[in-house]
Amino acid sequence: MGDALVIKGIEFRSRLWVGTGKYKDFDETKRAVEASGADVVTVAVRRVNITDRKSENLLDYIDPKKYKILPNTAGCYTVEDALRYSRLAREAGVSDMIKLEVIGDEKTLFPDTIGLLKATEILAKEGFIVFPYTNDDPIMAKRLEDAGAAAVMPLGAPIGSGLGLRNPYNIKIILEFSKVPVIVDAGVGTASDATIAMELGCDAVLINTAIASAKDPITMAEAMKHATLAGRLAYRAGRIGKKLYATASSPLEGML
């Protein structure tokens, strides 16, 4: 039975999406991406030179013909900046997809959801395939969907914190409300966090720091690949119900 993730007619072969920040160099980035098995690679328009093909460029290491490049507006604190970098990425021919971030605070890096909603509405009307990074608020997730988001990307915990999913119940409510895919972004610290997100029924997870800042990024990338797949399989298989008391695994009939 097929289990492809399809968003706006685009088929994604992997439910693990990866970022490209914090690696020691482009070669390590390339090896980690390959080990992850991901086909979506997100790059910060502000921080990575994706428009000047004369300089050393991340896209020299991450082949756009092999991977789906998802530009993001990381580091943008205003709607105007987020719109400008989104349009710049599209004009440079990178992608019509945009991972939209409008950050509201330097310390927490929590999203400015009012600005995010406004930017989502504008970019969706301009034909972008918008993936907004938001908090784990089910009401805001629904509003982003109504504004034209192709998927919603609630945080599991603050960016780079590695705390795992701090409020899985909110994520479950978002999943129940949402008619578009739900992709957990931010907060994953290790493989089991990715598995939990997928077991909840999330459509994908996006991971950067947990891989790039691991002692061995390449091995962690491979661990995340297996963790994401395991969580997805467990979700599809359906977990058993939780009970207070024991239930015998073997039938009692025929005992001597």
Side-chain angles (χ1 to χ4, degrees), residues 214-238:
K215 290 182 179 178
D216 182 344
I218 313 305
T219 301
M220 183 59 83
E222 186 173 1
M224 292 298 187
K225 174 177 69 176
H226 295 300
T228 303
L229 178 59
R232 179 64 182 176
L233 290 173
Y235 168 73
R236 293 180 62 195

Side-chain angles (χ1 to χ4, degrees), residues 11-239:
E11 183 170 325
F12 301 87
R13 69 170 187 271
S14 173
R15 292 175 183 272
L16 171 60
W17 297 10
V18 295
T20 51
K22 299 185 177 179
Y23 289 96
K24 68 179 181 181
D25 54 38
F26 286 154
D27 181 65
E28 184 179 73
T29 308
K30 176 184 178 181
R31 290 187 293 123
V33 170
E34 289 177 346
S36 75
D39 63 340
V40 176
V41 180
T42 183
V43 299
V45 181
R46 286 176 64 98
R47 298 170 184 153
V48 179
N49 182 14
I50 61 175
T51 57
D52 182 2
R53 301 299 296 164
K54 296 178 181 178
S55 303
E56 186 180 38
N57 193 302
L58 176 64
L59 300 187
D60 294 331
Y61 294 81
I62 306 297
D63 185 356
K65 295 179 181 177
K66 183 177 179 181
Y67 300 99
K68 297 176 179 66
I69 305 300
L70 176 60
N72 70 61
T73 61
C76 291
Y77 286 81
T78 67
V79 172
E80 291 72 24
D81 277 352
L83 295 177
R84 182 165 62 255
Y85 282 101
S86 299
R87 292 162 180 160
L88 177 63
R90 183 160 75 174
E91 289 169 4
V94 179
S95 179
D96 289 335
M97 299 189 298
I98 190 74
K99 183 198 165 195
L100 183 62
E101 296 186 22
V102 181
I103 301 299
D105 175 68
E106 289 186 3
K107 184 175 183 179
T108 63
L109 297 180
F110 284 141
D112 169 3
T113 52
I114 296 174
L116 182 70
L117 184 62
K118 182 178 180 181
T120 296
E121 186 172 13
I122 293 170
L123 291 173
K125 287 180 178 177
E126 293 181 7
F128 281 89
I129 300 171
V130 185
F131 299 88
Y133 160 71
T134 185
N135 56 27
D136 57 2
D137 176 358
I139 305 305
M140 180 52 64
K142 189 62 182 172
R143 288 185 175 178
L144 289 166
E145 176 185 327
D146 293 342
V152 291
M153 304 184 75
L155 55 81
I159 292 173
S161 67
L163 290 171
L165 272 65
R166 305 314 299 159
N167 198 337
Y169 299 102
N170 272 24
I171 300 294
K172 290 188 70 171
I173 295 172
I174 291 173
L175 285 163
E176 182 179 336
F177 283 7
S178 183
K179 295 179 181 177
V180 297
V182 176
I183 302 167
V184 164
D185 179 15
V188 168
T190 189
S192 57
D193 297 331
T195 302
I196 290 170
M198 297 306 296
E199 285 180 346
L200 287 174
C202 295
D203 296 278
V205 292
L206 194 156
I207 302 171
N208 187 172
T209 301
I211 297 174
S213 297
K215 290 182 179 178
D216 182 344
I218 313 305
T219 301
M220 183 59 83
E222 186 173 1
M224 292 298 187
K225 174 177 69 176
H226 295 300
T228 303
L229 178 59
R232 179 64 182 176
L233 290 173
Y235 168 73
R236 293 180 62 195
R239 66 155 294 142

